[in-house]
Amino acid sequence: MSNETVQDYVVAHGRAKSFYERFERKDELQHQTHFCPGCGHGTVHKMLARVIDELGIQDRTILVGPVGCGVFTYYYFDVGNISAAHGRAPAVATAVKRSRPGSIVIGYQGDGDLSAIGSAEILHAANRGEHVSLIFINNAVYSMTGGQAAPTTLLGQKTTTTPFGRSAANEGYPMHVCELLATLDAPVYIERVGLGDNRQAMQASRAIRRAIENQVNGLGFSLIEVLAPCPTIWKKTPVEAQRWVRDEMEKVYPLGVYCDRTKARMEAGLTQPAVAPTLDQLPGILGVAEADLPEGNAAALVADKPVDLQVRVAGFGGQGVLLLGEVLAEAGLDAGLDVSWLPSYGPEMRSGTSNCHVRLSRKPIDSPLVAAPNLLVAMNEPSLRKFDRAVRDGGWVIYDGDEFPADCVREGLHTFAAPFTRIADELGNKRAANMVMLGSLLEIASVLPEASVAAALHRMVKNPRWMELDERAIARGRELYRASLKEMVSA
Amino acid sequence: MAEGKKPDRGQLRIDEAECKGCGLCIEACPAKVIAMGEGLNHYGYRTAVYAGAGCTGCGICFMICPEPGAITVYRLVSAAGAATTTDSAKGATACASN
């Protein structure tokens, strides 16, 4: 071909600009995809890249890649890319779209990914009407893993896990995702297309464009299911595989539009995607804005001694076990420590057992679990017996009872027993027993400044009547422990 | 191309290194001007080959082909728009160099 004969020609159909020039994959193969010859993924990738080019959205497109053969979207598409765990692309896409409402978020999933492992995610993303576009590649089989049956496998189709062909009695019927999602009220556009011949492929290209356009126009959820050939796993030539899409798959999965609310939504006015709060807004929402916080007491932290409190608080539900832990953690936070608070309770709201793990440390906390506490608060005997053996040597047990059970005493274990509930009752309400115990705990640990405790209490307890009682209860708890020390000295 | 004969409406370039020889373009081409080549490329694939004439520039082979840039389709610029962009010249040069 000489220059003269070709210079009257212009590129009409060429490599999309949304593809990288070179793909960052295996050394010698950076000029081609990893897909097998005749793979449906390659064709759909090109359609998608072309739409991104034509709509001029490359700079604001974020592609959520799947698990499966389609996993390497980030090798090919020069757009924002995120890989989602198997089946979770709709959930990840939701998060991306809500945090960056101006972006165009496209989920790309196969049938094992979307219709099996991620069936919950897709259903709920569709039901919420998330403002994302999803491309669903259906090849009726788990291809990347070697051809196991998927929910979309056709009846009678042989796979490695249905060697005699899929039977309805054993593996159920092929799952019709488009039909299923079309029963929901939220989706804007759902269409099934195929790659079975030229006509089908043209329609597929148009449908993908429509799904992305809907998002660009600010409409909600769109999903395009593409019946795609997998010559390798189907053990067919690419041309035979293409025919199989048209002759066999299409019978089970009829092509067409299953839901189109584009016009109605346009007329109703655009619905804006739900937007996640920005980072600056979070403190206000959580009530920890600078203005709401008490003065930092970090400097007031008692002495410079190392702090590593590992506390387990245990009792019955309703005794205030969790609140005790929360106030302790909150006070630690106020004093500038690293803290963690982990509740652990049964399904009952009252009278079940309940406990929490609290850690306060000067160093970053690796795990919020407290398996071996150095401080145990046991609000009743069963809780004491459940956890006392776990307490470290040299650790403390604070027990609500007249006497510490003799058989729980062991060497190296410090104990402090007092009838906290009765004392709280005398103060005004037995439900303040947890705060009396907290008072003793604070006195024993003696690392947190009183101002931090007061600030924490102020934040956790809103009712002024309780606030006043709790303050008295904590003070009483401190007194109790100090009095016991004096007794020991005089004894 | 013989002198005086009307030029084809389209031109086709198949990148031998990128083509994996699936043959979908051969099946798809309405004008039937693509065929499977006889030789193997560097990676061991028999690749699709353009017959050299008869392309209508419809672009169906490009759309069906699973590889991003294995096929490039060029379209004849009409006499009126002949002096369009430098892009066309570039494309043509690239085409010629292959």
Side-chain angles (χ1 to χ4, degrees):
Chain A
M1 228 184 277
S2 71
N3 270 345
E4 289 79 57
T5 52
V6 291
Q7 63 193 355
D8 295 337
Y9 289 92
V10 291
V11 175
H13 304 277
R15 209 171 192 281
K17 291 190 176 59
S18 302
F19 283 125
Y20 284 112
E21 286 280 330
R22 305 286 294 177
F23 308 133
E24 262 189 57
R25 52 186 298 258
K26 287 178 187 148
D27 311 332
E28 228 203 309
L29 301 171
Q30 300 195 342
H31 63 289
Q32 54 178 220
T33 65
H34 72 290
F35 298 122
C36 308
C39 176
H41 274 306
T43 310
V44 176
H45 272 42
K46 276 172 78 175
M47 291 173 177
L48 195 55
R50 183 168 215 172
V51 172
I52 294 172
D53 274 10
E54 285 173 0
L55 296 179
I57 52 171
Q58 186 182 1
D59 288 345
R60 57 182 180 125
T61 295
I62 299 175
L63 202 54
V64 183
V67 170
C69 290
V71 66
F72 292 129
T73 51
Y74 51 83
Y75 277 162
Y76 307 125
F77 287 93
D78 185 6
V79 299
N81 282 287
I82 294 182
S83 283
H86 211 174
R88 275 55 177 169
V92 174
T94 299
V96 174
K97 183 66 181 182
R98 288 190 179 201
S99 5
R100 307 188 78 91
S103 57
I104 302 300
V105 183
I106 305 167
Y108 188 101
Q109 292 181 280
D111 51 332
D113 195 73
L114 182 140
S115 72
I117 296 164
S119 51
E121 279 75 10
I122 183 64
L123 199 58
H124 292 289
N127 194 39
R128 293 191 304 267
E130 294 299 340
H131 288 231
V132 297
S133 313
L134 293 178
I135 311 293
F136 167 36
I137 308 294
N138 180 359
N139 57 18
V141 81
Y142 273 81
S143 291
M144 194 191 82
T145 49
Q148 293 82 2
T152 45
T153 296
L154 309 191
L155 286 179
Q157 188 183 341
K158 287 184 180 172
T159 68
T160 56
T161 47
T162 56
F164 305 108
R166 179 176 188 166
S167 84
N170 207 36
E171 291 94 18
Y173 292 88
M175 185 179 278
H176 295 83
V177 172
C178 286
E179 285 87 334
L180 197 64
L181 296 182
T183 62
L184 302 172
D185 295 327
V188 171
Y189 192 76
I190 295 175
E191 180 174 354
R192 182 183 289 127
V193 294
L195 297 178
D197 55 31
N198 291 351
R199 192 182 46 80
Q200 288 187 3
M202 293 291 248
Q203 182 55 29
S205 183
R206 279 194 291 269
I208 289 172
R209 186 186 169 103
R210 184 106 190 247
I212 314 292
E213 261 176 353
N214 278 349
Q215 194 181 159
V216 172
N217 291 338
L219 300 174
F221 184 92
S222 307
L223 177 133
I224 306 300
E225 173 176 348
V226 185
L227 305 181
C230 176
T232 304
I233 296 297
W234 293 355
K235 299 185 175 62
K236 296 182 190 325
T237 67
V239 174
E240 282 167 5
Q242 193 184 39
R243 287 202 186 113
W244 199 76
V245 168
R246 190 182 57 214
D247 299 341
E248 302 299 326
M249 280 191 87
E250 196 191 336
K251 271 193 261 171
V252 181
Y253 297 111
L255 306 187
V257 178
Y258 285 86
C259 156
D260 184 3
R261 299 193 177 92
T262 317
K263 209 169 154 227
R265 291 289 159 85
M266 280 289 209
E267 282 164 5
L270 302 182
T271 52
Q272 288 308 309
V275 178
T278 63
L279 274 182
D280 321 339
Q281 294 168 331
L282 281 182
I285 293 166
L286 297 173
V288 292
E290 205 69 48
D292 302 337
L293 292 180
E295 300 259 319
N297 291 308
L301 196 62
V302 175
D304 242 354
K305 63 179 173 183
V307 179
D308 184 24
L309 273 185
Q310 304 202 17
V311 185
R312 198 74 180 263
V313 188
F316 288 136
Q319 279 189 305
V321 166
L322 303 187
L323 181 65
L324 194 168
E326 265 185 294
V327 173
L328 180 62
E330 193 77 25
L333 205 59
D334 191 85
L337 294 169
D338 276 22
V339 304
S340 69
W341 172 78
L342 183 73
S344 160
Y345 45 84
E348 313 93 331
M349 285 303 284
R350 295 278 165 211
S351 79
T353 60
S354 163
N355 71 80
C356 68
H357 312 237
V358 182
R359 290 192 64 177
L360 285 82
S361 177
R362 274 196 200 280
K363 294 181 190 151
I365 290 167
D366 46 7
S367 161
L369 286 175
V370 178
N374 52 24
L375 227 159
L376 169 68
V377 179
M379 299 190 70
N380 55 43
E381 197 175 332
S383 300
L384 173 69
R385 293 191 182 279
K386 191 170 174 189
F387 294 112
D388 74 316
R389 307 231 163 263
V391 179
R392 295 178 194 193
D393 282 343
W396 276 86
V397 180
I398 306 173
Y399 174 60
D400 186 2
D402 291 320
E403 255 181 75
F404 198 78
D407 57 326
C408 289
V409 176
R410 65 178 154 96
E411 208 180 323
L413 191 69
H414 303 284
T415 61
F416 178 57
F420 291 103
T421 305
R422 207 168 62 226
I423 293 164
D425 203 19
E426 287 162 15
L427 285 172
N429 193 321
K430 66 178 180 186
R431 283 170 65 191
N434 57 345
M435 291 299 143
V436 186
M437 295 187 90
L438 177 62
S440 298
L441 183 156
L442 291 167
E443 201 61 26
I444 289 170
S446 67
V447 285
L448 293 171
E450 290 196 25
S452 289
V453 179
L457 204 61
H458 180 76
R459 243 172 286 160
M460 304 301 303
V461 183
K462 298 292 178 203
N463 184 329
R465 200 167 56 82
W466 275 106
M467 176 76 188
E468 185 273 334
L469 177 62
D470 285 346
E471 276 176 343
R472 276 193 292 129
I474 290 177
R476 185 80 179 91
R478 289 183 186 275
E479 268 169 44
L480 275 173
Y481 177 65
R482 281 200 295 265
S484 77
L485 286 182
K486 277 181 198 152
E487 270 173 40
M488 260 167 52
V489 173
S490 59
Chain B
M1 216 177 290
E3 274 298 319
K5 202 177 160 195
K6 239 176 115 182
D8 284 335
R9 277 180 290 156
Q11 281 286 352
L12 194 61
R13 181 174 66 88
I14 296 171
D15 182 346
E16 200 189 76
E18 195 171 334
C19 176
K20 289 172 180 168
C22 69
L24 290 179
C25 56
I26 301 171
E27 186 74 7
C29 178
K32 298 288 167 219
V33 292
I34 312 174
M36 193 62 87
E38 288 304 320
L40 301 180
N41 72 1
H42 177 63
Y43 305 96
Y45 290 120
R46 275 180 78 185
T47 63
V49 176
Y50 174 44
C55 176
T56 63
C58 69
I60 287 174
C61 57
F62 173 83
M63 190 188 60
I64 287 285
C65 173
E67 286 298 311
I71 294 180
T72 311
V73 178
Y74 300 86
R75 207 171 269 167
L76 183 67
V77 183
S78 62
T84 45
T85 56
T86 46
D87 257 16
S88 67
K90 267 187 209 158
T93 322
C95 177
S97 69
N98 273 273

